[in-house]
Amino acid sequence: MKKVLEPELIDLRSKLKFSFETGEIWLGENRMMLMHVAAMGAFRNEIIQSLGLERARGLLVRLGYASGVRDAELAKSLPSNDCPEAGIMLGPMLHSFKGMVRVEKRKLEMDIPNGKFAGEFVWENSWEAQTHLQEFGVGTDAECWTQVGYASGYVSTFVGRPVIFKETQCVCKGDHHCYIEARLLEHWEDSEDYLKYYKPENIAGRLIDLQEEVVSLRASLNKTALPASVIGESETFKEALDLASTAAAKPITVLLLGETGVGKEVFAHWIHDNSDRATQPFVALNCAAIPNDLLESELFGVEKGAFTGAQQARPGRFERANNGTLFLDEVGDLTPAAQVKLLRVLESGELERLGDIKTRKVNVRLIAATNVNLQQAVKDGKFRADLYYRLNAYPVNIPPLRDRKADIPLLLEAFIKKYALLHNKRIAGVTDKAMKMLMTYTWPGNIRELENMMERGVLLTASDEMIELKHLFAGVADLLPDEVELSPQGRVNTQSKSSINNLIEEMIKDGISLENCELMLMEAALKKTGGNIAKAAELLGVTRRQVAYCLEKEDKK
Ligand SMILES: [Zn+2]
């Protein structure tokens, strides 16, 4: 019988070389490095957080396995390799030597040629258990994954057959110590469950697949964004949508009316998409955004040399929208000359580019929009009456958001979905308090304001969390600590509540009575209004009589 080598007989320390000159550490032929357990622990936690337990477990098992394979190769080169059992025991020694864990053999029976291997070991001071416990506390599973991987890699390489270790007890699940048991792979009934951790998974490939999925989702998002914005169940909104829907089916000119931000362009696009021109171009132009002297060339095109700077012939928006739809926003800002030309295109379908004598035919459906009172502009002589009547043949009034608040929850959902996808986040919704504010607010900027606010909310909210009030009113968050008051005009009342609370605290502390408090307020108001009782009463929101009565009572004291 061969002598079993005791651990102390092999001096592993003699295999360890520190080479300061070259910045290397060697264990036999293997380059090693010293690493902080805390750093490794942080890395391990990050893998778990970002990839999830299962994927992280696989990675860590394979990390340990790779290390075990190297150590087995080192062990084979050591003199003990003629005694298999001693060679196996070098694994635990190396494991301890490297500061991973203290190993104590409980059982080791091996007869590889006859297909037998059974080993049981106690682990103490496992670095991985210690790290895991610190971060996650006691749970229900064994967690020494790199170490189980190491043991499996070491023994499998050493004996030349797959041997799998299982951690049957672990301090991470509240056991007294960690305990591992080894068998040949085929002797484990549930080997499949374990084997999966040893097979590298193509995480990069999976990530690329996901990336592609996101890209295609985003592409489809751009298309679906339009209908998503034409969302609403409220009566006022449905009326407008019904009108738009009727208009879509006919080749008529439509005039969209409504405040800034109600979504006129979205409506125009919706009409286009639901018309028989849907496959043809949709061209939009905001008349207020183009300098007056460029407006005509932008709309009707320009011939080379028509004016200084016109170095090339260029079609205008009308030509580009041929067979499709042209959307002219802020049509009230058209210059008188452009108004004449626009009327002509609407009546005859003909136009000439600037500096050109050739007449061109276009077939364009016009959708115009304005937030000014065109009728008034006609009265003021700023807008041609004949053009106004032409445009106003089919007006559609898009209601402001404050008149369709019932739609806010639906709109919120759509915007959160849109921006969560764009910014790669999961958002759990909005808090009750934020929802209350959103329903109270009067939305002077309409849907555009709501959309901007929701985008900001999504950006400022961590994944899986709810959008809070402070995320929506990001700019004034500091001024709005706990309570936010909204005035009926839609302004946020940024008067700090906490300073009032402090004042109240102080007053109670000083024992100021309610009556005194009332008197102090009245005196302050009177001082402000130069003794005018009526004005002071107005400031305090009480009647003149109440102020007078209070002062009288004080006089009698
Ligand atoms: Zn353990």
Side-chain angles (χ1 to χ4, degrees):
M1 170 141 181
K2 283 173 183 163
K3 187 182 172 224
V4 174
L5 274 169
E6 293 300 320
E8 55 267 31
L9 293 182
I10 293 177
D11 192 3
L12 283 171
R13 273 168 295 192
S14 70
K15 294 280 164 197
L16 184 65
K17 299 265 188 304
F18 289 86
S19 170
F20 298 112
E21 299 78 19
T22 60
E24 291 162 314
I25 303 173
W26 296 93
L27 181 62
E29 296 289 307
N30 294 290
R31 183 172 171 181
M32 310 296 287
M33 61 182 181
L34 278 173
M35 198 171 178
H36 290 268
V37 168
M40 187 62 196
F43 177 64
R44 185 179 184 275
N45 291 339
E46 193 176 329
I47 295 179
I48 293 172
Q49 304 290 359
S50 56
L51 296 178
L53 267 178
E54 280 299 285
R55 286 213 167 85
R57 182 171 169 179
L59 276 176
L60 292 164
V61 164
R62 292 192 293 280
L63 170 68
Y65 192 89
S67 178
V69 168
R70 290 306 189 90
D71 276 0
E73 278 156 7
L74 169 72
K76 279 182 179 176
S77 72
L78 295 175
S80 62
N81 70 356
D82 54 339
C83 167
E85 195 170 324
I88 291 292
M89 285 313 294
L90 266 174
M93 277 177 62
L94 279 159
H95 218 178
S96 301
F97 182 70
K98 293 197 290 189
M100 306 282 184
V101 65
R102 179 181 180 273
V103 193
E104 197 183 302
K105 183 181 80 178
R106 282 294 160 85
K107 176 181 165 186
L108 182 58
E109 295 165 10
M110 57 187 291
D111 181 2
I112 297 299
N114 291 313
K116 271 191 203 159
F117 188 93
E120 290 178 25
F121 302 85
V122 174
W123 271 349
E124 264 161 329
N125 296 330
S126 150
W127 79 268
E128 202 168 11
Q130 181 192 323
T131 298
H132 191 93
L133 277 174
Q134 269 168 14
E135 188 66 22
F136 301 98
V138 174
T140 53
D141 292 312
E143 312 287 4
C144 300
W145 303 330
T146 57
Q147 297 182 178
V148 165
Y150 175 91
S152 304
Y154 182 88
V155 175
S156 298
T157 306
F158 202 88
V159 304
R161 284 183 65 171
V163 174
I164 297 295
F165 278 79
K166 266 191 204 180
E167 192 179 14
T168 52
Q169 295 173 45
C170 180
V171 292
C172 291
K173 53 176 183 146
D175 293 319
H176 181 61
H177 50 219
C178 300
Y179 197 85
I180 53 168
E181 298 178 28
R183 289 182 207 167
L184 286 165
L185 174 67
E186 59 268 32
H187 293 162
W188 287 112
E189 274 171 18
D190 51 357
S191 60
E192 274 306 307
D193 289 353
Y194 283 83
L195 214 54
K196 67 183 180 200
Y197 298 115
Y198 292 89
K199 286 182 187 145
E201 181 192 18
N202 189 351
I203 292 177
R206 181 72 191 127
L207 285 177
I208 289 166
D209 286 350
L210 285 172
Q211 191 68 33
E212 278 169 4
E213 219 172 298
V214 170
V215 169
S216 80
L217 277 172
R218 281 189 184 152
S220 71
L221 183 74
N222 288 336
K223 283 178 205 143
T224 56
L226 292 166
S229 303
V230 192
I231 283 175
E233 292 291 332
S234 64
E235 281 309 312
T236 49
F237 180 76
K238 279 203 283 196
E239 265 170 42
L241 200 60
D242 281 349
L243 279 173
S245 165
T246 308
K250 299 168 186 164
I252 50 172
T253 299
V254 179
L255 180 63
L256 299 175
L257 301 163
E259 293 173 10
T260 302
V262 291
K264 292 189 283 280
E265 178 162 357
V266 171
F267 247 76
H269 218 140
W270 187 88
I271 291 172
H272 172 77
D273 286 344
N274 288 277
S275 73
D276 55 5
R277 294 169 180 253
T279 56
Q280 300 293 327
F282 175 88
V283 177
L285 179 73
N286 184 335
C287 302
I290 305 281
N292 278 346
D293 51 345
L294 291 180
L295 197 53
E296 281 179 66
S297 61
E298 211 37 63
L299 275 172
F300 308 107
V302 65
E303 244 344 276
K304 190 177 170 181
F307 53 84
T308 325
Q311 282 149 354
Q312 270 181 331
R314 198 157 50 86
R317 305 279 170 129
F318 263 103
E319 282 179 69
R320 280 155 60 188
N322 199 18
N323 297 319
T325 306
L326 175 64
F327 172 61
L328 288 185
D329 202 357
E330 312 223 24
V331 76
D333 280 45
L334 281 178
T335 58
Q339 289 178 32
V340 175
K341 288 192 175 170
L342 177 58
L343 184 62
R344 177 165 168 242
V345 187
L346 290 179
E347 284 175 339
S348 64
E350 288 177 353
L351 61 83
E352 283 103 33
R353 291 179 180 176
L354 254 67
D356 194 10
I357 47 161
K358 185 180 161 195
T359 300
R360 294 163 201 265
K361 274 261 173 206
V362 288
N363 170 9
V364 170
R365 149 149 29 202
L366 182 73
I367 302 177
T370 178
N371 53 22
V372 300
N373 187 338
L374 280 185
Q375 217 167 358
Q376 189 59 45
V378 170
K379 273 185 198 154
D380 297 345
K382 288 179 190 158
F383 203 83
R384 292 182 66 98
D386 44 9
L387 180 58
Y388 169 69
Y389 291 120
R390 186 97 208 176
L391 293 177
N392 201 38
Y394 197 94
V396 176
N397 221 322
I398 306 171
L401 188 53
R402 65 177 171 279
D403 289 347
R404 44 177 295 220
K405 282 191 177 172
D407 293 335
I408 288 177
L410 280 172
L411 290 163
L412 280 188
E413 207 186 308
F415 289 138
I416 290 176
K417 210 167 154 186
K418 174 176 168 182
Y419 289 107
L421 198 55
L422 271 175
H423 298 298
N424 220 351
K425 277 188 173 176
R426 279 183 311 242
I427 297 293
V430 296
T431 63
D432 291 345
K433 203 171 192 179
M435 183 57 105
K436 190 179 162 195
M437 186 282 284
L438 294 167
M439 296 301 285
T440 315
Y441 191 54
T442 52
W443 301 105
N446 290 297
I447 293 189
R448 188 181 301 151
E449 188 182 10
L450 175 67
E451 180 165 3
N452 291 343
M453 201 182 271
M454 293 325 292
E455 179 170 25
R456 186 169 58 206
V458 169
L459 275 173
L460 294 177
T461 302
S463 236
D464 289 323
E465 292 194 353
M466 288 190 139
I467 296 176
E468 293 173 27
L469 196 54
K470 65 173 186 226
H471 298 138
L472 298 175
F473 279 88
V476 290
D478 295 343
L479 298 169
L480 306 169
D482 315 316
E483 299 291 324
V484 168
E485 298 285 314
L486 288 152
S487 74
Q489 288 75 38
R491 287 195 308 269
V492 178
N493 186 355
T494 54
Q495 186 182 15
S496 170
K497 272 249 156 168
S498 61
S499 69
I500 293 176
N501 286 339
N502 291 344
L503 182 65
I504 292 171
E505 262 320 278
E506 288 293 310
M507 289 170 83
I508 292 171
K509 234 195 291 173
D510 292 351
I512 295 173
S513 71
L514 198 56
E515 201 177 339
N516 267 338
C517 175
E518 201 176 68
L519 192 68
M520 280 159 71
L521 276 172
M522 284 187 184
E523 279 168 358
L526 279 168
K527 202 171 161 192
K528 233 188 161 88
T529 58
N532 186 324
I533 294 180
K535 279 187 185 163
E538 204 181 307
L539 269 185
L540 298 170
V542 297
T543 63
R544 190 184 176 283
R545 191 185 296 273
Q546 279 172 293
V547 177
Y549 172 77
C550 193
L551 293 172
E552 216 171 286
K553 201 169 69 182
E554 183 57 25
D555 280 350
K556 282 180 188 163
K557 274 185 183 170

